[in-house]
Amino acid sequence: MNMAFVEVCLWKLLAFILSWTIFHITNRMKKATKCADVAAEERRDGGPDVIIVGAGVGGSALAYALAKDGRRVHVIERDMREPVRMMGEFMQPGGRLLLSKLGLQDCLEGIDAQKSTGLALFKDGKEAVACFPVDTNFPYEPSGRFFNNGRFVQRLRQKASSLPNVRLEEGTVRSLIEEKGVVKGVTYKNSSGEETTSFAPLTVVCDGCHSNLRRSLNDNNAEVTAYEIGYISRNCRLEQPDKLHLIMAKPSFAMLYQVSSTDVRCNFELLSNNLPSVSNGAMASFVKNSIAPQVPLKLRKTFLKGLNEGSHIKITQAKRMPATLSRKNGVIVLGDAFNMRHPVIASGMMVLLSDILILSRLLKPLGNLGDANKVSEVMKSFYVLRKPMSATVNTLGNSFWQVLIASTDEAKEAMRQGCFDYLSSGGFRTSGLMAVFGGMNPKPLSLIYHLFVITLSSIGQLLSPFPTPLRVWHSLRLLGLSLKMLVPHLKAEGVSQMLSPANAAAYRKSYMVATVV
């Protein structure tokens, strides 16, 4: 009797489990079908496939790339007026190639952009020129462009909005709309001051280094490394307008470059956050008394012209931040909201354009951008594929900046002098490093090679004319400084990604093949 009762209970329990399983699977299938139907309905109703937050260089370029692939794109930008910035004014040769791959090369036309062929270096009264090499493996003109950032951004916006499936709207995004950890859209205040919403299967946050949305998407914290101070000297022209003039000064560096046919950008760096006041004239006095005397005589008049004429002085934080993928589905983070490095080599836009080219190609085959699993797989592939360019630029930018900082430390100054000598030497060493600098050879292993050779050359100078215990000690410390610059990037970017030549070769084959100029 008891056994029969137990058997009946077991059969009832089994029947309940089977019924519940069938109900659960059926319910999930219905929900999936309903979501697909809603997505299809939104598509029929003209809703966007992608929302992009920010219409700077990245947001505008991505909108154009996705719209060319047939996506409906809604771009929301806080301020549609021409930006006034002192960053993003130089595009390396590699950046120009990537811009052309996206079909946006004409955005550098009609903005009075100036051709750049390389660097003019100055240190302790010595001058050297390092040019971008003519490389048969680089399928584009080996020159960069200086330009007014605001004009360039406006051209990109015009190009994107010229496509019928791009809606470019002025508005301030307040927050992301989430449902069970999946971003469904954004809440924003439009130009009329009305609070409204926009929904799409995929949202891309591309709102720059001051992004407020980033904090809710990943655990990255941007580190402020220094302060860039700059202004414009108007109605003047450099003796070598095709060179970025880099002055190894104290405490760090100063720069001059021709942003238009009549305007020169003057820029320098301070390391302390205790900056002289701009409003009371203390900053202008500091520049005249402390920075200008270190500028070579042939550049000094131009450097002082903007200050003497009351040009507006801008201060921008230099930041660095490693890249990590968003921990939420339905959203992607790009640009300075995603990854930053010190701006001394002016390659942030190049990395961004590389990311956009890779991402747009990976997303192109996806029919439904709301498929979280497929988009997640795309982002994992994207994170690996971007490494040859991003790891090279991140490592070079942060390392070169550390080398440029003046110091009374004999080992640090030997590295600084060794870098100047290396770029001044000409031949393979200069052309090789300039190819990396210009994004013409995005290969982390090549950068590590050049850093290693600079380190050995600097050690050789320290030990000459003959080694003493003190010189050997300084040499060991210099080697330690070199490793201290490199090892954090090996950890952050991944040892295999940094040291694998196969990844760099695959990147070049996929994204740097011949393009008609």
Side-chain angles (χ1 to χ4, degrees):
M1 186 75 176
N2 289 338
M3 287 297 296
F5 177 75
V6 170
E7 189 174 334
V8 169
C9 290
L10 287 174
W11 277 108
K12 285 183 177 181
L13 179 63
L14 181 61
F16 172 77
I17 292 172
L18 287 173
S19 299
W20 183 87
T21 303
I22 293 170
F23 171 79
H24 182 68
I25 293 172
T26 304
N27 196 41
R28 288 189 63 180
M29 290 176 67
K30 285 180 179 179
K31 284 184 177 180
T33 303
K34 185 177 180 180
C35 288
D37 290 342
V38 169
E41 188 64 33
E42 287 180 351
R43 189 81 170 98
R44 285 194 293 271
D45 290 345
D49 298 305
V50 182
I51 297 168
I52 298 177
V53 181
V57 173
S60 301
L62 179 63
Y64 182 81
L66 294 177
K68 289 286 285 184
D69 291 336
R71 309 287 188 189
R72 292 177 178 174
V73 185
H74 183 192
V75 186
I76 306 171
E77 164 58 35
R78 181 180 58 83
D79 189 349
M80 292 300 295
R81 293 174 297 179
E82 181 174 304
V84 180
R85 298 187 65 210
M86 69 171 185
M87 294 292 191
E89 296 177 322
F90 179 38
M91 185 168 289
Q92 306 280 10
R96 289 184 61 227
L97 170 63
L98 295 165
L99 197 69
S100 73
K101 304 289 281 182
L102 291 166
L104 295 167
Q105 65 272 21
D106 57 330
C107 291
L108 286 173
E109 299 171 3
I111 60 172
D112 199 16
Q114 304 295 297
K115 184 176 182 178
S116 167
T117 60
L119 301 176
L121 299 161
F122 302 86
K123 185 179 186 294
D124 300 331
K126 295 181 180 179
E127 178 181 349
V129 171
C131 294
F132 298 120
V134 177
D135 186 350
T136 55
N137 292 320
F138 182 69
Y140 210 72
E141 179 194 8
S143 66
R145 291 292 184 272
F146 301 119
F147 48 82
N148 178 292
N149 175 269
R151 295 175 189 170
F152 179 54
V153 169
Q154 290 300 84
R155 288 284 287 117
L156 288 170
R157 289 173 178 173
Q158 292 166 11
K159 184 86 170 182
S161 60
S162 68
L163 298 178
N165 46 336
V166 173
R167 178 189 173 198
L168 194 57
E169 181 182 10
E170 184 168 280
T172 302
V173 174
R174 298 304 185 103
S175 62
L176 300 172
I177 299 171
E178 296 182 40
E179 184 180 315
K180 297 180 180 179
V182 179
V183 174
K184 299 291 186 178
V186 298
T187 299
Y188 68 102
K189 183 173 283 190
N190 62 24
S191 57
S192 301
E194 300 168 338
E195 192 94 1
T196 186
T197 57
S198 182
F199 294 90
L202 184 63
T203 299
V204 181
V205 174
C206 200
D207 56 348
C209 61
H210 300 294
S211 173
N212 291 320
L213 301 178
R214 176 182 67 224
R215 298 186 185 95
S216 65
L217 299 173
N218 58 45
D219 300 320
N220 274 5
N221 290 315
E223 175 192 359
V224 177
T225 57
Y227 296 84
E228 309 302 313
I229 299 96
Y231 53 90
I232 293 287
S233 289
R234 303 194 183 280
N235 301 312
C236 53
R237 194 159 179 83
L238 296 168
E239 186 179 308
Q240 295 176 291
D242 63 330
K243 298 293 188 294
L244 189 155
H245 298 70
L246 177 62
I247 302 150
M248 293 187 176
K250 296 177 182 179
S252 187
F253 63 87
M255 279 185 183
L256 292 90
Y257 50 92
Q258 196 84 40
V259 292
S260 74
S261 55
T262 58
D263 294 345
V264 173
R265 167 66 68 191
C266 303
N267 180 45
F268 63 95
E269 179 177 86
L270 294 179
L271 305 175
S272 171
N273 59 5
N274 187 21
L275 302 175
S277 171
V278 172
S279 59
N280 65 12
M283 179 63 80
S285 298
F286 172 80
V287 178
K288 292 176 182 178
N289 296 327
S290 300
I291 304 298
Q294 300 181 69
V295 175
L297 281 173
K298 70 176 185 178
L299 301 173
R300 198 173 300 169
K301 182 179 178 181
T302 299
F303 191 78
L304 288 170
K305 191 173 189 294
L307 291 174
N308 294 332
E309 293 178 352
S311 180
H312 177 61
I313 299 174
K314 291 183 67 68
I315 300 176
T316 300
Q317 293 176 331
K319 299 179 180 180
R320 59 183 174 188
M321 183 180 72
T324 57
L325 295 177
S326 169
R327 58 176 177 262
K328 295 180 181 178
N329 291 325
V331 64
I332 295 171
V333 186
L334 282 182
D336 283 349
F338 173 56
N339 185 202
M340 287 182 276
R341 76 294 305 156
H342 193 281
V344 65
I345 62 169
S347 296
M349 282 190 296
M350 183 166 64
V351 173
L352 176 55
L353 293 172
S354 173
D355 285 352
I356 290 170
L357 182 62
I358 295 168
L359 183 60
S360 61
R361 288 188 180 181
L362 289 174
L363 290 175
K364 188 174 182 178
L366 299 189
N368 177 19
L369 295 180
D371 189 325
N373 291 329
K374 288 185 178 179
V375 173
S376 178
E377 290 303 313
V378 161
M379 291 311 297
K380 289 175 183 177
S381 298
F382 162 77
Y383 192 69
V384 173
L385 292 172
R386 71 185 296 268
K387 287 294 185 177
M389 178 64 81
S390 65
T392 301
V393 170
N394 290 343
T395 307
L396 177 59
N398 293 330
S399 299
F400 192 46
W401 165 68
Q402 292 178 64
V403 169
L404 288 177
I405 297 173
S407 176
T408 55
D409 185 299
E410 194 166 338
K412 290 182 179 179
E413 183 54 32
M415 176 67 93
R416 195 171 186 243
Q417 183 63 47
C419 185
F420 178 83
D421 293 341
Y422 194 84
L423 284 168
S424 306
S425 62
F428 169 77
R429 296 194 297 180
T430 301
S431 62
L433 186 53
M434 286 302 293
V436 176
F437 181 90
M440 303 164 68
N441 181 24
K443 186 187 296 184
L445 203 56
S446 292
L447 174 59
I448 292 171
Y449 164 79
H450 289 292
L451 179 61
F452 180 70
V453 175
I454 291 172
T455 301
L456 289 182
S457 300
S458 303
I459 288 175
Q461 289 294 320
L462 269 179
L463 293 175
S464 74
F466 57 87
T468 64
L470 182 60
R471 287 172 179 167
V472 170
W473 168 242
H474 285 316
S475 298
L476 291 173
R477 289 180 57 248
L478 192 154
L479 180 61
L481 289 170
S482 181
L483 291 173
K484 192 175 179 180
M485 286 189 285
L486 180 60
V487 171
H489 287 284
L490 286 172
K491 291 180 179 179
E493 305 291 351
V495 174
S496 61
Q497 300 298 327
M498 290 283 283
L499 301 181
S500 171
N503 292 334
Y507 178 91
R508 179 181 286 276
K509 184 177 179 181
S510 298
Y511 305 107
M512 301 187 75
V513 293
T515 302
V516 178
V517 181

